[in-house]
Every structure is written in C-alpha cells, then in structure tokens.
Amino acid sequence: MDGGSSHHARPNPGLSAGKRVPVYSAAQLIEKQQLKWNSVKEKPYPAMYSSYFGGIILDPSMMVLPIDDHMVHRGHGVFDTAVILNGYLYELDTHLDRFLNSASKAKISSPFPKETLKSILIQTTAASKCRRGSLRYWLSAGPGDFLLSSSGCPEPAFYAVVIADNFSQRKEGVKVVTATTPMKPPIFATMKNVNYLPNVLAIIEAEEKGAFASVWVDDNGHIAEGPNVNVAFISNKKELLLPTFDNILTGCTAKRLLALAPKLVEKGLLKGVETRNITVDEAKNSAEMMYVGSTLPLLPIIEWDGKPVGNGKVGELTLALSDLLWDDMIAGPERIFVPYEDDDALQQSKL
C-alpha cells in the first residue's frame, strides 16, 4: 500500500552517478517510513488487515505487501470495495459475493469462508474509527516466488484497507469521451481483477482530452462501460437503459439502481427500466446520461465527445435516480452497522 499516495511526500534520494546507495537496517527503514507519515495530519488509511501478518495494522507506515506476492508482480489477484457511510457498510454482502465469484474465475481460493471475511472487514472498519470512506479488499494467490506459475505460493493472501474519504452525492455534470484504448475481453472484464492497466490508460486518455473519464464501445458497436463505473442512459421515451452485463463487470450499484428505479416508474416519472444492447447512435441521442458506481453513487454526464448530452444540462431524472440511491445508502436495508469501540465506551458511560 505505502508509497503510492499523494497524501505524503515523494521520495527524493538525490542520487547521482557514482554515489553510494545506502543500505538500511530494519530499524532504520521503519524510522524513515514513520518520519514520512508523521508529517501527515490526517491519515488517509486509518487501518489495514493482512492475513500475511494475521491482524489489523493502524500505522500506515507498516501497511506493506511482500514484493514476491503474486498479485504484485504478476497481477494475480482480485479486489472489491464497499462504501462506509455514517458508520455503516453499504452492500457488503453483495460486494463479497462478487468478490468470491471473481476469485473463483481467477483460480484463487480464499483462506477464509465468506462469513470470516465479512467479520474481518467489519472489525477492520471498526478499528479504523472511520465513519465515511471506503473499504477496499483483495484476494491474492499469495507470496511465494517470482515465477509465472502460482504453484510456488504456499497459501493465498487476504488484504483490506480502510480509505478515509469525505465523499458526498455528486450533482455536477462531467464531460466524457469515447475510449480508443482497447477494452478488456469478456473473461477479464467480467471479473474484478487487479489488471487495471487498460482502465488506467483509458482514464489518462480522457484526462489528456480534458474529460473526466471515458466510455468503452465493444466490437459490435454497443456501449460497454467506463473505466471503473457502469454507464446508464435516459432515453427520449423516459426509459432507464443500461447495457447488459454479459461482457462487462456486473456493477453492484448498477444492480441496486435497477432494483430501485421502478419506484420512479410507479410515480410516472420513468416509463420503464431495461438492460439491453445499446448502440452508439442511440446512446448519443439519449436525453440524459450518467455513470453509476459505488462511491458516486451516480454521476451526471452532460457532454460526450465534445457534444452535449440532451440539452447539455444535468437531467431531472438523473438527479431523481441519484436521490434514490443516496437515500438507500443512508437509510436503506443494505447497510451493516459497524460496532466502533468508542461507541461501546459511550454506551458504557451512560449506564
């Protein structure tokens, strides 16, 4: 984990040709790591769990992975994320089910059954004391050696990190572009694995063009997904349309949106809800467009490839759907209460 965040200082060794490279003892290295993090007032990663160490770590300078972990040097790992909002974990069971399905596709066995994984994640969140942010977790083939085969990895590894983030509902529209970076083939796109280089390049491509992110189109000319989000549309007939999940990742938030959206049909605001193949022409002529993802949970899109989507303004139905999801995250049935230790202490003080 450590070393890749913009929250702390980048290393600046100032080495030149011929200058001796220092050799550190374990104690010296720990001291250097802790010095780097001591200057950070608010720690962005308040807790980590590692099955390699067998417990929870609260010091971000110690949140490290073995360099010979197969996930690190071969990309042999899967991951997922759950939102922490107001002291609750949202859709944890749904995300864990997808997580284990991804692991099965990647031929990685879990070191623990689902209920143990769930308990570890809840305890890690509680130890972090973080009440708003995200919980990201990984299953890896584990440490072992630097060979291509994972047969040299004695046992899989499970890692989890709490990421503090004061995110809120997104109501401002963004610009997107059509990705020219090739999308993943279905076997990789349908599992949430750590091989995210195509996703990274698609984001960089969009940013270079002044856009927020991009949209992939498959070889058949149908809308696929964004780099780490699903994409949805409101047709001119006021239908909510999402691409089928056959060749893309089945978004947990997208599925929840599909379950909640009929409430707007009942109110007469939407005419229907459907998942199907959507052509580029149909998509670009839609009335409204949005990204759908865990931490958004819904992000309006107002411009695509330099042209306005609909009237170029954030749509009313987009905002209505956003409110549905946000209300569900705040007070819906898909939440799990996190038993923070200070909550227990507060209750004891009232007795």
Side-chain angles (χ1 to χ4, degrees):
M1 269 301 300
D2 186 60
S5 171
S6 60
H7 293 276
H8 54 86
R10 300 286 185 181
N12 184 23
L15 289 175
S16 58
K19 186 173 181 179
R20 188 177 181 85
V21 178
V23 178
Y24 295 120
S25 67
Q28 288 173 320
L29 187 59
I30 290 171
E31 182 182 7
K32 285 183 69 67
Q33 285 289 83
Q34 290 178 334
L35 280 173
K36 285 172 61 177
W37 279 101
N38 284 342
S39 63
V40 180
K41 292 182 180 179
E42 294 187 14
K43 304 295 189 289
Y45 318 127
M48 174 186 180
Y49 171 83
S50 169
S51 65
Y52 184 74
F53 296 122
I56 296 169
I57 306 155
L58 301 180
D59 183 349
S61 68
M62 296 292 100
M63 295 179 185
V64 295
L65 303 184
I67 192 65
D68 65 343
D69 191 299
H70 221 234
M71 181 170 72
V72 174
H73 63 89
R74 297 297 180 189
H76 193 185
V78 298
F79 77 102
D80 221 301
T81 304
V83 165
I84 307 164
L85 186 59
N86 298 341
Y88 288 81
L89 282 161
Y90 181 64
E91 284 204 301
L92 180 59
D93 281 298
T94 302
H95 283 272
L96 267 176
D97 288 339
R98 183 176 66 177
F99 178 64
L100 292 171
N101 184 51
S102 294
S104 176
K105 290 180 178 181
K107 300 187 183 300
I108 301 172
S109 60
S110 173
F112 310 111
K114 178 189 172 182
E115 287 306 310
T116 302
L117 293 175
K118 183 177 176 180
S119 176
I120 289 169
L121 292 173
I122 293 172
Q123 290 182 63
T124 302
T125 307
S128 77
K129 299 182 180 179
C130 176
R131 285 171 165 76
R132 184 172 290 222
S134 60
L135 174 64
R136 189 167 300 182
Y137 41 97
W138 297 261
L139 263 181
S140 160
D145 53 39
F146 288 95
L147 300 179
L148 190 61
S149 170
S150 60
S151 61
C153 304
E155 59 183 9
F158 179 59
Y159 307 107
V161 173
V162 174
I163 304 168
D165 184 6
N166 192 26
F167 66 88
S168 58
Q169 190 177 6
R170 305 287 294 273
K171 295 188 176 184
E172 299 295 322
V174 299
K175 302 175 182 179
V176 301
V177 294
T178 302
T180 61
T181 302
M183 64 181 290
K184 297 175 186 176
I187 188 173
F188 297 119
T190 55
M191 74 169 87
K192 200 169 178 68
N193 63 84
V194 299
N195 294 285
Y196 257 47
L197 186 56
N199 311 61
V200 170
L201 293 177
I203 280 284
I204 291 174
E205 175 190 0
E207 290 173 343
E208 288 175 344
K209 295 177 180 178
F212 175 80
S214 55
V215 175
W216 269 310
V217 177
D218 68 21
D219 292 339
N220 295 316
H222 297 137
I223 302 300
E225 59 187 342
N228 63 340
V229 285
N230 290 102
V231 61
F233 304 89
I234 301 294
S235 73
N236 291 303
K237 296 179 180 179
K238 293 190 175 182
E239 303 163 306
L240 173 64
L241 303 177
L242 277 82
T244 64
F245 300 119
D246 297 340
N247 298 319
I248 60 174
L249 188 68
T250 303
C252 295
T253 308
K255 286 175 63 180
R256 190 63 186 152
L257 176 66
L258 289 167
L260 293 170
K263 292 182 179 181
L264 297 189
V265 177
E266 293 170 5
K267 293 179 179 179
L269 299 175
L270 276 176
K271 298 299 183 183
V273 179
E274 189 177 3
T275 58
R276 61 172 171 81
N277 291 326
I278 305 168
T279 66
V280 174
D281 285 343
E282 183 182 10
K284 288 198 170 183
N285 287 313
S286 61
E288 301 177 33
M289 179 179 179
M290 64 208 80
Y291 279 140
V292 185
S294 295
T295 58
L296 297 174
L298 196 148
L299 180 62
I301 297 171
I302 57 173
E303 183 182 299
W304 185 3
D305 287 338
K307 295 182 179 180
V309 175
N311 62 8
K313 297 179 181 180
V314 175
E316 291 183 4
L317 287 174
T318 297
L319 291 178
L321 289 167
S322 178
D323 287 342
L324 267 183
L325 275 173
W326 190 254
D327 290 345
D328 192 62
M329 291 173 70
I330 291 175
E334 300 297 318
R335 302 174 306 141
I336 294 175
F337 174 73
V338 178
Y340 297 95
E341 291 180 7
D342 47 354
D343 288 345
D344 293 338
L346 181 62
Q347 290 298 323
Q348 288 296 325
S349 69
K350 292 179 179 179
L351 296 178

